[in-house]
Structure formats: C-alpha cells, structure tokens
Amino acid sequence: MPFQDPAPDTASASRRLAFGIATLSLGALAMGASVLFVRQADVGPFASAFWRVALALPLLAAWALVAEGPRAFRADAATLAAGGFFAGDLIFWHLAILGTTVANATALATTAPVWITAFTVLVLRRKVAPTGWAGLLLCMLGAAALVGESWQFRPDHLPGDAAGLITALFFAGYFLAVSRARRRRGAAAVTLVSTAATAVLLLGVAVAVEPILWPASPGGAAALVALALVSQVGGQGLMAVGLAAVPPAFGALVFFLEVVSAAALGALLLGEPLSALQVAGGALIVAGLVVARPRAPLPPPRYGRDPPAEEPGAPAPPGRARHPADRRH
C-alpha cells in the first residue's frame, strides 16, 4: 500500500529525514490542489468538504487494515482531536471564502505556522534555531507576495477575515494533534480515525446548512472523488507519514507550499497568470524551507504502550543504549 512508514532498521537517520521532508512537501502540494477541485464541484462548500472526507474513508480503511490490522480502527484522544480540529479548519475556511476575498482568506490562513511555532516555544518549551526563525520570516514574506496584490481591507469583510484567522488556529491545532498522535500510532490509523471524526462533524454541518448535498452532474461527482483521493488521501496521508520524521516547527513551514501549489495550478489550469511578484514569492518560500531545514531527524516513532521516544540529543535512560538517530549530527 502507499505511504508506508520507512523501516528504522534499514533507513539511515539522514534518509529518514529526507523522506519526511519529501512526503510533507508532496502532501502540501496535493492539499493545494483542493481549490481546483472545489471550483469544479456542483455542490455547496460545506457539502464538498463533507464529500472530501467521506469518499476518502474506504481507501483509508483499506490502507489501515493492510498496514496495521484491526487495531488501526481504535480511536484515541489525540487522533479524535485531530479530526475535530480539521473539521473546524474546513468549516471556517469556507466561511472565510464566503465572507471575504480569496486573497484575504488565503493570507490569513497561512499564518498557521506562526501559531504552531508559538505553541512549540511557549507551551512545549522547545527552542527554535535562528535558521528556523529566518525560514519562517522568508516563508511569510513569500506568502504575502503571492497574495499581496489582491489583498483588500474592507470593514464589511471583517467577519470573513476573522474566519480566515480562525482557520489558521484550527489547522495549527490539527497539525499539532497529528504530531502527537504519530508518537504512538501509525500514519494509516491516524489518517483513518481523524478523517472519520471529521466526516461525522461535517455531515451534521452540511445537512443543517446546505440545500443540495448530492452532485448534479458526472463532472461534479468526478471533482469530488478527485478532491477525496488527491487532497484527503494523498495530502493528509502524506502529512501523517512525514510528521513522524520531521520536527513540527519545520513541518509547519512546509505547508506554505500549499499556497504555491494553488497559485501554480491556477496559472496552469484556470487561466490565472502569475505576476513577477508572485513568482518571487514562491521563490522566497522555497528559500525559507532550505534555510530552516532541520539537520537532525526525530527518533523513529514507537507504537503501542511504549513511552514516546526521547528528543534528539537527550540523555539515554540508565542501562539503555542510545538509538543511532539520537546522535548529534
């Protein structure tokens, strides 16, 4: 099945880190394609959000069953929290799109890495290297350049702007919850259970507010299937795999590529040409990721009842040898 975790006994620490960065990057690009599919769907925004997760469940269930067996269907607090946060992310994202410009919604939603970094520093008490701060600054400048020409401030858009900011907070919560869940569970289980929780919540919202739930044309149905396969199974699945090998503060920066993906697909497929400033913004995001890339990976995740792995560089418990991935590089 796709998205299997790398075997820690055969992959070197550096290869595991490169694998994590690559899977997160591909996941961000797949999630960025969601705008393209939503525009082609002929149902309302909340209905499309529900179908995105609901149609992904059969394939995710098959992946989880093959990868981890029946235990993958067990729920746990962190994974259920991830599903709740992602439901909030999708709900407020669509409220932002309806209540303000797409540029405003996108710019405010891309502040999620700021909140993730703040949580990492203030709550988790983990230090961020100077290169991490520099990378965050470059990525923020790049995202601003990508949407800056379309940014508008209007008092009547304030509710939509607020929804865009809340979207960022929900995605930050989702990201951190998945990172925590991956310490003890595999990517397949985390993606399946969190997606199921999201589907239940979004079904209630869609039934309550959407007049039409079913797509009216084969093309609309195909767009919803593509949304589920590419953005949910591909994007969320790859993210869950990669977060086991990449520190959350850097992993959050990788999702600036979602904005790059959306802009590039808009230019290629929707006739929305990129300006020189937008191209420069994409280059700044890539540069920020290069500057902030971690030099040492996280230790391989432990599943079951084992305690979570120690941080890289932490002293090993008495009588226990340090894992090779814990060595400083």
Side-chain angles (χ1 to χ4, degrees):
M1 292 296 293
F3 313 150
Q4 291 288 354
D5 294 331
D9 57 345
T10 59
S12 67
S14 59
R15 287 183 60 191
R16 184 169 177 270
L17 175 60
F19 179 88
I21 294 174
T23 52
L24 279 177
S25 299
L26 289 173
L29 295 174
M31 290 173 68
S34 63
V35 175
L36 177 67
F37 301 128
V38 169
R39 287 192 181 185
Q40 304 302 317
D42 49 13
V43 294
F46 297 107
S48 67
F50 163 71
W51 288 118
R52 166 179 174 159
V53 290
L55 292 175
L57 287 174
L59 185 57
L60 291 177
W63 172 29
L65 189 61
V66 171
E68 303 177 43
R71 65 188 177 92
F73 294 80
R74 175 177 51 85
D76 65 279
T79 307
L80 290 175
F85 279 124
F86 192 62
D89 170 74
L90 290 177
I91 290 169
F92 280 95
W93 169 245
H94 287 115
L95 288 174
I97 292 175
L98 294 173
T100 187
T101 64
V102 173
N104 284 26
T106 302
L108 291 165
T110 54
T111 61
V114 176
W115 310 119
I116 293 170
T117 303
F119 186 89
T120 300
V121 173
L122 299 176
V123 179
L124 300 182
R125 302 292 184 182
R126 295 178 184 172
K127 293 183 178 180
V128 176
T131 53
W133 291 113
L136 175 61
L137 177 60
L138 288 172
C139 287
M140 290 296 294
L141 291 174
L146 276 169
V147 300
E149 293 180 328
S150 302
W151 174 272
Q152 300 176 16
F153 176 77
R154 289 173 47 181
D156 59 316
H157 285 174
L158 284 178
D161 292 339
L165 188 59
I166 295 172
T167 299
L169 294 172
F170 270 106
F171 186 79
Y174 168 73
F175 194 90
L176 292 166
V178 171
S179 296
R180 183 174 183 83
R182 283 290 281 120
R183 295 180 186 178
R184 295 181 178 273
R185 306 197 68 183
V190 170
T191 309
L192 171 65
V193 176
S194 64
T195 299
T198 301
V200 171
L201 294 172
L202 289 179
L203 176 60
V205 174
V207 169
V209 302
E210 291 283 16
I212 299 175
L213 292 179
W214 296 94
S217 67
L224 292 175
V225 172
L227 179 65
L229 296 181
V230 176
S231 297
Q232 189 65 27
V233 177
Q236 309 299 116
L238 286 166
M239 189 188 84
V241 172
L243 279 178
V246 176
F250 175 76
L253 296 185
V254 173
F255 277 82
F256 277 108
L257 291 176
E258 185 176 352
V259 187
V260 177
S261 174
L265 289 172
L268 292 173
L269 301 176
L270 299 177
E272 301 175 355
L274 296 175
S275 67
L277 180 61
Q278 289 176 306
V279 173
L284 281 174
I285 289 176
V286 174
L289 295 177
V290 172
V291 168
R293 71 190 187 280
R295 270 57 178 183
L298 295 176
R302 301 173 184 273
Y303 304 141
R305 298 181 180 272
D306 293 337
E310 295 84 7
E311 293 294 323
R320 176 174 158 190
R322 182 187 299 279
H323 192 280
D326 291 337
R327 300 172 187 156
R328 294 184 182 273
H329 293 271

